[in-house]
Amino acid sequence: MRWDGWGDPSRAAEKLPAGVTLLLTAVLGHRPRRAERLRLDDVELTTPVLDAADVAALAAAVGPDDVRTDHDTRVRHAGGKSTPDLVRRRARRQAAPGAVVLPGSEADVAAVLRIAAERGLAVVPFGGGTAVTGGLGPDAGDHRGAISLDLRRLAGLERLDEVSGEATFRAGTRAPTAEAALAERGFELGHFPQSFEFASLGGFAAMRSSGQNSAGYGRFDAMVTGLRVVTPTGTLDLGRAPGSAAGPDLVRLFLGSEGALGVITRVRLRVHETPAERHFDAFTFPDFRTGADALRRVTQAGTGPTVIRLSDEAETAVSLAQAGSIGKALSKGCTAVVLHEGPAGVARSRRDATAAVLTAAGGRPASRKLAEAWHRGRFGAPYLRDTLLEHGVFAETLETATTWSELHALRTAVTEALTTGLADAGARHRVLCHVSHVYPTGASLYFTVVAGLPGDMAAAWEPVKARVNDAITAAGGTISHHHGVGTDHAPWLEREIGEHGLRILRAVKKELDPAGIMNPGTLLPVGSGA
Amino acid sequence: MRWDGWGDPSRAAEKLPAGVTLLLTAVLGHRPRRAERLRLDDVELTTPVLDAADVAALAAAVGPDDVRTDHDTRVRHAGGKSTPDLVRRRARRQAAPGAVVLPGSEADVAAVLRIAAERGLAVVPFGGGTAVTGGLGPDAGDHRGAISLDLRRLAGLERLDEVSGEATFRAGTRAPTAEAALAERGFELGHFPQSFEFASLGGFAAMRSSGQNSAGYGRFDAMVTGLRVVTPTGTLDLGRAPGSAAGPDLVRLFLGSEGALGVITRVRLRVHETPAERHFDAFTFPDFRTGADALRRVTQAGTGPTVIRLSDEAETAVSLAQAGSIGKALSKGCTAVVLHEGPAGVARSRRDATAAVLTAAGGRPASRKLAEAWHRGRFGAPYLRDTLLEHGVFAETLETATTWSELHALRTAVTEALTTGLADAGARHRVLCHVSHVYPTGASLYFTVVAGLPGDMAAAWEPVKARVNDAITAAGGTISHHHGVGTDHAPWLEREIGEHGLRILRAVKKELDPAGIMNPGTLLPVGSGA
């Protein structure tokens, strides 16, 4: 993975696609130009390496090879992959953890937490490193220093119960490795967020991830049947039955805990047989409102698509332009992409039922190539973002969710916050939006922003993002549908869950992590008593 | 509702049906005979009425008419509806709350909790009074006395969002009232547990109820999109969007909180349009194992039944006998009952898909009258239990859940604990079992026991039930799939969620209820530091 961008360096594009350059020139008023890149060796770290005594104590626990203090490893664990993170990667002076520790077992994790608590070191759990809300920064809080706890060695399939359709993985397993292990046995997890190529299963659980197939297989939350969590004061083994009334479901307290309560070391997941059939379809709607209403009807009727997503007019135009159909891109309308999977026969009858509802709600069948193109390119956007950034163009995404009845008001509020915020920042821009996660009672809204932000792009973006967060909470939306809280959204969490909600989380943290070493500032805002 | 039994007194049967008498005579070795009933007026309460000063303080908060200390009201709030509860109702000397308080608003609830904390009184929230795990007993813990907080005045539909399919009810609303209010607008909740006729929506949430249509509409957990909870230290308003990654989902911390953390005053629920179509079907399987495997295949394929349940050989025989088919009752085999509902067309294609899977898995279509008979009689068992009890016959149910791969081992373990326990108690008996809640990864097991327990039936049952609970936890099952923890299962909770799980619940309780007034002994075992 690139240290200063997304993904496999061999897949990084130096040049912007011609269609994108054309669009951008129109949006920004100038042709974007490639800038010089900083070399990793030239980064100056502003935070020191851990003391020799700290390193020795950790090395005694996990082995000397698995406590890393070299420049390269520290820089690569300095943060996540939000656009502001990547902008910060372009500055010469950067903060990084005092060491990167790679535990090889649950016992190692427990030992590292004990040593960290004793020695006053903060611990930042690190899965695939793909977080986009700031929860991976080397924030030591009130502690002497911070260590990054990289879980890559805690990887692999532990058990597959083929009868029950349940798989137990070590939490550091990367998603593609997990799918490959399952595929060998004829099973699939079916969780494909945009971070799929690099993210870890423990990270999905800690962040309450939601993947592109969520309509069919649910959010990651819904896939988790059990968790093992190592906290500074002990270990929890949660999730005993597929349905239970044995008090509150404590698994749900660790889904979304973002490393602030403990380290998820093992996840038990619902899996399904590799689908026998797969059908792609696309539909066109005259406008976003009609399209969203059609998606609502499908979801409430329960016809069972695996994927159902709708781009607004602006995103539809860009998608068509990227696919080389500039002519079509100028046509009005919104495209919806649909995928049905499942056992033979079942997938087809689901597809027919969905098509009937979409058509009755004003959709017209479009070329299924649009759906296939979406599927081929579905992990590509972050690569394009890298190339844009290298051309001085700021591209970022943000997301929220609400009920169907409030969806359009929320979309208007967020769009207005973005456009006025960016205009105030003197940035020409384009805002795109889509619905990609649907529920019987509501849906998510996912926004992509492309802007010609002047000066320090991260600093210029901050007030715009704050204005958006204010607008989301004022309009009753959630501060995040699937990116999480991290440090970036932490100041808005109280508006979402209330003072007493925060008090509950603080009480649990105090019980499990009395020294407050777990990921300070993430989830719970700093200075909030946690 | 009967004070010493279940349900509407006008529907209580004095006589046992002829088929049941015949069966029972065979099981018990004698013909059951009707016993004398205790009159409510003859009950002697062993716990005193609250002090006059307590009553005055409460009356000042909610009004004098809504603080009840009369004999009748106190006796009617003395406990729930488990068979041991009903056996205790037959003893002359009984414990009851010191007063019954009926708040008329959330502000009233907050005021009552404040007064109770100040004056050292325990508070037992009371919805429909249908609990079967002991959580409604007038247990004062370390406090001077206990009040029953009856939520019947906090009733009614507050808002129906027809677009989003979301309804907000006050928590004291009884289930039939809720369904009637929704039906007027063309909607349905679709939650039909056996307690349906009397239970409240807040009770469903507090106990993590699961209804007969759970295959189609999910457990009550899955229907809840938001909660309002009044705790001794403040009020929470939780659940902001249909999907969120804004930290842990705190709604889930109050589902299953059983009145031990606060009082649920409002529930927001996912509802659906009244189904356009309804299709009943029945299938016969050669044995329970084949039938259970067929249910697993249906659930994992996701064909979408609303109800799918399978009786074991013994229960199948009793059902057929009750329906008057003694001849058929002697035939071998297990009956499965299936219901498909939904929008026109969708329901039928779901039904065809389910039938194909069941048939391929060894099922033979049977008369749909069996399914219709189940549906007609689905709330009848507790009425029959009353009549049995009046004839000196002990009838009780218990339930658990596990993964599909462990289902048969768990069934064997529970059956063995029951049969050896009852044999040790010198009781002739019959054990019936069914699967009525299915999930992709597993299912529930529901046991019905009919026994000729000698002497004090509640005392004789206690060691049998303890043996079953030990067997369930040892076999990896959950201590309850949908009845809850209450006081009865509280001693087993630590085996389910671990020492750290209990520590988390205690920390949350301490934060929200520092005086420990909320439902002492329920959920968290007494003397556990909570």
Side-chain angles (χ1 to χ4, degrees), chain B residues 345-511:
Chain B
V346 174
R348 183 163 293 274
S349 77
R350 286 175 181 158
R351 176 200 202 184
D352 294 345
T354 299
V357 176
L358 290 177
T359 310
R364 285 193 306 116
S367 166
R368 77 180 49 164
K369 284 186 183 162
L370 293 172
E372 288 160 357
W374 163 76
H375 193 254
R376 266 196 313 277
R378 73 198 192 280
F379 302 129
Y383 291 93
L384 177 60
R385 179 182 61 161
D386 285 349
T387 315
L388 288 170
L389 213 49
E390 277 149 30
H391 286 74
V393 180
F394 182 89
E396 180 59 308
T397 63
L398 55 89
E399 36 79 67
T400 178
T402 190
T403 55
W404 290 110
S405 61
E406 298 300 325
L407 196 69
H408 300 290
L410 179 60
R411 178 170 172 239
T412 302
V414 173
T415 305
E416 200 169 285
L418 279 169
T419 50
T420 59
L422 288 165
D424 285 359
R428 296 181 66 157
H429 59 271
R430 179 72 57 98
V431 176
L432 320 176
C433 180
H434 66 242
V435 169
S436 47
H437 303 271
V438 291
Y439 304 88
T441 59
S444 70
L445 287 171
Y446 191 93
F447 296 86
T448 302
V449 182
V450 179
L453 276 176
D456 177 343
M457 291 197 288
W461 173 245
E462 210 175 294
V464 182
K465 173 76 175 169
R467 197 183 292 205
V468 170
N469 290 347
D470 289 344
I472 285 174
T473 48
T478 178
I479 195 64
S480 173
H481 172 268
H482 61 271
H483 285 171
V485 177
T487 47
D488 294 0
H489 294 149
W492 282 267
L493 187 60
E494 183 167 348
R495 292 194 217 168
E496 175 125 358
I497 64 172
E499 181 208 334
H500 274 73
L502 273 189
R503 281 174 61 172
I504 289 171
L505 292 179
R506 279 187 214 124
V508 174
K509 183 169 173 70
K510 202 171 169 188
E511 180 68 31

Side-chain angles (χ1 to χ4, degrees), chain B residues 20-37:
Chain B
V20 172
T21 303
L22 206 66
L23 265 181
L24 280 173
T25 306
V27 171
L28 305 176
H30 65 265
R31 196 183 158 86
R33 267 179 240 294
R34 198 174 164 76
E36 194 79 359
R37 275 175 68 185

